[in-house]
C-alpha cells in the first residue's frame, strides 16, 4: 500500500516537474531568440562610439565606411541647416535637405521606413540607419504605470492558473488513488468473512491484491486445517478413551488392566502434546533463529537414540564437503523435527535405518530412510495437504516435522521406497 501511494505521489511530482521544465524551456527559448535577434545588429550607441573614436577630418572616412558596410548600416551627416554634408550608401529616396519637422519626425519615428538613430556630431547631426524591418523604434520614452500593474496582474493570473492546474492534477490523482484503494479496504474488512470477494490481480496494485488474496486463502486453509485437526484428534482420542471406559466399566474392579489404562493415558497425552506443538509452531517467529551446525544436532540425536535402543542399527552417512556448514535454526525444534521421523522408524520398523546428510551447491539435504513397509499413500497425501483426519499412527509426528522444516524455510519430501519410507529435509541459504 505504501509503495503504491509513494508511486502515485512520485507521478504527481514528476508531472509538476515536467510542467515546470516545459515552462522553463519555453522561457529560455523566448529569451534566447530575443538575444539572437537583438545581437543580429549592433547597438546604435556602439556604432556611434566606434565612428566617433575613428573619425578624422570626416566622420564617414574609409575605416568607418568599412565598419558600416560590414554591419549593413547606411549613414548621413547633417549640418546645422539640415543639409546632407556626408553620406554612405544613402538610398535615393532619402532627401538631401531636411527641415526641423523632418528631424523631429525621424528622431522619434522612422525615415522612409528605415529605423534611424540620431546623434550630435559637431554643430550638426549624424544618422545611422538600419535595414527596413530590422529593428523597431519605440515612439515614447516613458512607461505607463497602469500598463506595468496590468502586466503584474497578468503574471499573477498565469501563476494562479498554474497552481490551479497543479491542484486539478493532484485531485484527479488522489481520486484515482482512493478509487483503486477502496476495493482493497473492503477486502481487508472482509478478509476473515465468508463473503470475501477475491480481488482482481492486475494493475499497479497487483502485488497487494495477490498478498490479500493469499492471506484470505491462507486463513481459509488454516480454518479448514483446524477443523481437520479437531476431527483427527477426536478420532485418535476416541479409541484410547473407549478402552479406558471399557476397563472402568468392569464389575470386578480387581481385574482392571491398569497397565492398559496407563498405556492409553500416555497415548492421549502424546496426542495432546503433539497437537499443542503443532498449534504453537504457527506462532513462532524464525527471526530469532541463529546460525547452528546441523551436524551437531544429528550426531546428538543418533547418540541419544542408540542409547535408548542399543540393539538397533542406525547408519550415519556424512557426504557434505564443508564440515563447518551452518543453517539458521532453533536447535531444539530442529532436533524434534528429525527425532519424530527417526523415532517412528525405530518404533514401526525392524531393519536398518540410514541417516544421510549431503550438500549440493547452496542446498543441504538430510534424509532418513528405513527398511520398513512404508505408510499408506493416502496418509502421505493427507500430510502434504495438512489433513489430519483419521491419521491414527505416526501421521501427527510427521506433520509436526513438516511444519518445523517449513518454519526453517525448508522443504519436506516424503515417499515410499518399496521397501522402506524415505523422508527428506531440503534447505537452501546455507553458510
Amino acid at each position: 500500500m505504501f509503495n503504491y501511494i509513494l508511486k502515485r505521489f512520485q507521478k504527481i511530482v514528476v508531472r509538476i516537474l515536467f510542467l515546470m521544465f516545459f515552462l522553463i524551456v519555453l522561457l529560455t527559448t523566448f529569451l534566447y531568440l530575443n538575444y539572437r535577434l537583438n545581437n543580429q545588429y549592433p547597438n546604435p550607441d556602439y556604432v556611434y562610439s566606434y565612428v566617433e573614436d575613428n573619425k578624422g577630418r570626416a566622420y564617414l572616412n574609409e575605416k568607418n565606411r568599412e565598419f558600416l558596410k560590414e554591419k549593413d548600416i547606411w549613414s548621413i551627416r547633417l549640418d546645422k541647416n539640415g543639409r546632407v554634408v556626408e553620406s554612405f550608401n544613402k538610398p535615393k529616396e532619402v532627401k538631401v535637405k531636411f527641415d526641423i519637422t523632418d528631424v523631429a519626425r525621424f528622431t522619434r519615428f522612422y525615415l522612409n521606413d528605415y529605423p534611424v538613430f540620431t546623434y550630435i556630431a559637431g554643430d550638426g547631426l549624424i544618422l545611422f540607419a538600419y535595414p527596413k524591418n530590422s529593428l523597431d523604434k519605440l515612439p515614447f520614452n516613458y512607461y505607463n504605470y497602469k500598463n506595468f500593474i496590468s502586466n503584474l496582474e497578468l503574471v499573477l493570473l498565469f501563476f494562479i492558473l498554474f497552481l490551479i492546474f497543479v491542484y486539478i492534477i493532484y485531485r484527479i490523482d488522489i481520486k484515482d488513488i482512493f478509487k483503486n484503494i477502496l476495493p482493497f479496504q473492503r477486502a481487508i474488512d472482509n478478509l476473515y468473512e465468508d463473503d470475501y470477494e477475491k480481488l482482481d490481480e492486475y494493475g499497479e496494485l497487483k502485488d497487494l491484491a495477490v498478498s490479500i488474496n493469499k492471506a484470505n486463502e491462507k486463513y481459509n486453509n488454516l480454518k479448514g486445517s483446524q477443523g481437520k485437526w479437531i476431527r483427527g484428534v477426536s478420532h485418535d482420542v476416541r479409541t484410547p478413551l473407549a478402552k479406558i471406559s471399557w476397563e472402568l466399566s468392569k464389575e470386578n474392579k480387581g481385574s482392571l488392566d491398569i497397565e492398559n489404562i496407563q498405556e492409553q493415558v500416555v497415548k492421549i497425552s502424546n496426542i495432546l502434546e503433539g497437537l499443542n506443538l503443532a498449534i504453537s509452531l504457527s506462532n513462532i517467529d524464525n527471526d530469532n533463529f541463529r546460525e547452528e551446525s546441523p551436524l551437531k544436532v544429528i550426531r546428538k540425536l543418533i547418540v541419544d537414540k542408540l542409547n535408548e535402543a542399543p540393539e538397533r542399527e542406525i547408519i550415519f552417512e556424512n557426504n557434505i564437503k564443508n564440515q563447518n556448514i551452518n543453517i539458521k535454526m532453533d536447535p531444539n525444534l530442529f532436533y524434534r523435527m528429525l527425532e519424530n521421523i527417526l523415532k517412528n522408524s525405530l518404533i514401526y520398523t525392524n531393519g536398518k535405518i540410514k541417516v544421510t546428510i549431503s550438500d549440493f551447491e547452496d542446498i543441504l539435504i538430510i534424509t532418513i530412510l528405513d527398511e520398513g513397509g512404508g505408510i499408506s499413500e493416502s496418509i502421505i497425501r493427507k500430510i502434504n495437504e495438512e489433513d489430519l483426519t483419521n491419521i491414527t499412527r505416526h501421521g501427527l509426528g510427521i506433520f509436526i516435522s513438516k511444519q518445523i522444516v517449513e518454519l526453517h524455510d525448508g522443504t519436506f519430501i516424503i515417499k515410499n521406497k518399496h521397501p522402506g519410507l524415505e523422508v527428506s529435509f531440503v534447505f537452501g541459504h546455507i553458510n
Side-chain angles (χ1 to χ4, degrees), residues 38-105:
N38 286 336
N39 283 271
Q40 185 177 358
Y41 296 97
N43 188 293
D45 291 340
Y46 168 73
V47 174
Y48 170 72
S49 297
Y50 185 90
V51 171
E52 179 70 23
D53 293 340
N54 293 281
K55 71 180 181 178
R57 296 179 62 182
Y59 273 83
L60 301 177
N61 55 29
E62 188 65 26
K63 184 175 183 179
N64 285 338
R65 286 170 178 264
E66 289 293 332
F67 173 76
L68 295 174
K69 181 180 180 180
E70 180 185 345
K71 302 301 181 182
D72 195 18
I73 297 172
W74 61 266
S75 177
I76 58 175
R77 185 168 72 88
L78 309 179
D79 62 12
K80 63 182 179 180
N81 296 318
R83 289 192 301 268
V84 176
V85 294
E86 280 188 275
S87 69
F88 170 70
N89 283 348
K90 180 182 78 66
K92 293 180 180 180
E93 68 267 23
V94 176
K95 298 189 296 185
V96 296
K97 176 71 172 65
F98 298 90
D99 56 28
I100 191 170
T101 56
D102 294 327
V103 173
R105 187 178 295 110

Side-chain angles (χ1 to χ4, degrees), residues 182-393:
L182 187 59
F184 293 92
Q185 182 65 49
R186 288 197 296 264
I188 293 173
D189 291 339
N190 298 326
L191 186 62
Y192 303 119
E193 303 296 334
D194 294 332
D195 59 348
Y196 173 83
E197 294 183 8
K198 187 175 181 179
L199 292 167
D200 294 327
E201 298 176 357
Y202 65 88
E204 294 177 319
L205 292 173
K206 176 182 177 181
D207 293 340
L208 180 59
V210 170
S211 298
I212 294 177
N213 287 335
K214 284 185 177 179
N216 177 261
E217 183 180 355
K218 187 174 182 179
Y219 167 75
N220 287 330
N221 291 338
L222 179 62
K223 186 178 179 181
S225 297
Q226 287 177 341
K228 293 174 182 178
W229 291 353
I230 293 173
R231 290 192 297 272
V233 171
S234 297
H235 182 276
D236 288 349
V237 171
R238 191 180 301 119
T239 300
L241 283 178
K243 292 181 178 180
I244 294 174
S245 177
W246 182 79
E247 288 289 340
L248 294 177
S249 65
K250 291 180 179 179
E251 293 183 3
N252 183 7
K253 302 301 180 181
S255 63
L256 290 178
D257 190 347
I258 301 300
E259 185 176 341
N260 184 33
I261 294 177
Q262 289 177 341
E263 182 182 347
Q264 303 308 317
V265 170
V266 170
K267 285 184 179 181
I268 295 175
S269 176
N270 290 335
I271 291 171
L272 294 179
E273 179 188 358
L275 180 63
N276 288 332
L277 178 58
I279 294 175
S280 66
L281 287 174
S282 62
N283 299 319
I284 294 177
D285 187 358
N286 60 9
D287 290 340
N288 296 322
F289 288 4
R290 61 183 184 272
E291 299 289 338
E292 295 283 350
S293 171
L295 282 172
K296 181 179 178 181
V297 178
I298 293 173
R299 289 191 177 106
K300 182 178 185 307
L301 172 65
I302 293 175
V303 170
D304 290 345
K305 294 307 169 187
L306 286 175
N307 288 334
E308 294 175 7
E311 74 283 357
R312 296 299 300 271
E313 184 177 0
I314 301 176
I315 302 171
F316 176 51
E317 188 174 306
N318 182 358
N319 295 326
I320 61 175
K321 303 179 184 68
N322 179 13
Q323 297 299 312
N324 297 319
I325 196 169
N326 289 321
I327 63 173
K328 195 175 181 181
M329 68 162 76
D330 179 303
N332 294 326
L333 289 177
F334 202 85
Y335 182 95
R336 180 64 181 270
M337 173 188 76
L338 300 174
E339 182 190 31
N340 286 346
I341 307 302
L342 187 57
K343 186 176 180 180
N344 283 340
S345 296
L346 290 170
I347 294 174
Y348 300 109
T349 68
N350 296 316
K352 298 177 183 179
I353 302 173
K354 185 178 181 181
V355 180
T356 305
I357 181 170
S358 56
D359 60 340
F360 178 76
E361 294 182 352
D362 293 332
I363 297 175
L364 177 71
I365 303 175
I366 301 173
T367 302
I368 299 177
L369 173 64
D370 59 40
E371 296 180 344
I375 61 176
S376 169
E377 292 294 334
S378 63
I379 293 180
I380 293 177
R381 185 178 65 256
K382 287 177 179 291
I383 291 171
N384 290 330
E385 295 174 356
E386 301 187 359
D387 181 0
L388 300 187
T389 307
N390 297 330
I391 298 180
T392 57
R393 292 185 73 192

Side-chain angles (χ1 to χ4, degrees), residues 105-258:
R105 187 178 295 110
F106 67 64
T107 301
R108 181 164 298 262
F109 299 102
Y110 295 80
L111 175 59
N112 294 99
D113 293 331
Y114 290 96
V116 296
F117 299 90
T118 308
Y119 295 89
I120 297 174
D123 58 353
L125 300 175
I126 186 168
L127 282 68
F128 300 106
Y130 288 72
K132 292 180 180 180
N133 301 319
S134 59
L135 299 178
D136 290 326
K137 294 189 66 178
L138 299 177
F140 55 85
N141 55 3
Y142 61 90
Y143 193 82
N144 190 303
Y145 176 75
K146 291 183 178 180
N147 190 30
F148 175 73
I149 296 300
S150 297
N151 287 334
L152 286 181
E153 291 175 347
L154 189 62
V155 171
L156 181 61
L157 176 61
F158 286 161
F159 181 71
I160 292 174
L161 290 176
F162 172 76
L163 292 180
I164 292 174
F165 179 74
V166 171
Y167 178 74
I168 291 174
I169 293 177
Y170 166 78
R171 291 299 302 176
I172 291 174
D173 281 338
I174 290 298
K175 184 178 179 181
D176 192 34
I177 289 174
F178 281 107
K179 180 182 177 181
N180 290 330
I181 288 179
L182 187 59
F184 293 92
Q185 182 65 49
R186 288 197 296 264
I188 293 173
D189 291 339
N190 298 326
L191 186 62
Y192 303 119
E193 303 296 334
D194 294 332
D195 59 348
Y196 173 83
E197 294 183 8
K198 187 175 181 179
L199 292 167
D200 294 327
E201 298 176 357
Y202 65 88
E204 294 177 319
L205 292 173
K206 176 182 177 181
D207 293 340
L208 180 59
V210 170
S211 298
I212 294 177
N213 287 335
K214 284 185 177 179
N216 177 261
E217 183 180 355
K218 187 174 182 179
Y219 167 75
N220 287 330
N221 291 338
L222 179 62
K223 186 178 179 181
S225 297
Q226 287 177 341
K228 293 174 182 178
W229 291 353
I230 293 173
R231 290 192 297 272
V233 171
S234 297
H235 182 276
D236 288 349
V237 171
R238 191 180 301 119
T239 300
L241 283 178
K243 292 181 178 180
I244 294 174
S245 177
W246 182 79
E247 288 289 340
L248 294 177
S249 65
K250 291 180 179 179
E251 293 183 3
N252 183 7
K253 302 301 180 181
S255 63
L256 290 178
D257 190 347
I258 301 300

Side-chain angles (χ1 to χ4, degrees), residues 6-20:
L6 182 61
K7 287 180 180 179
R8 297 306 302 232
F9 178 74
Q10 288 174 343
K11 282 189 175 182
I12 295 174
V13 172
V14 168
R15 288 179 183 176
I16 294 174
L17 292 177
F18 176 77
L19 181 60
M20 293 180 66

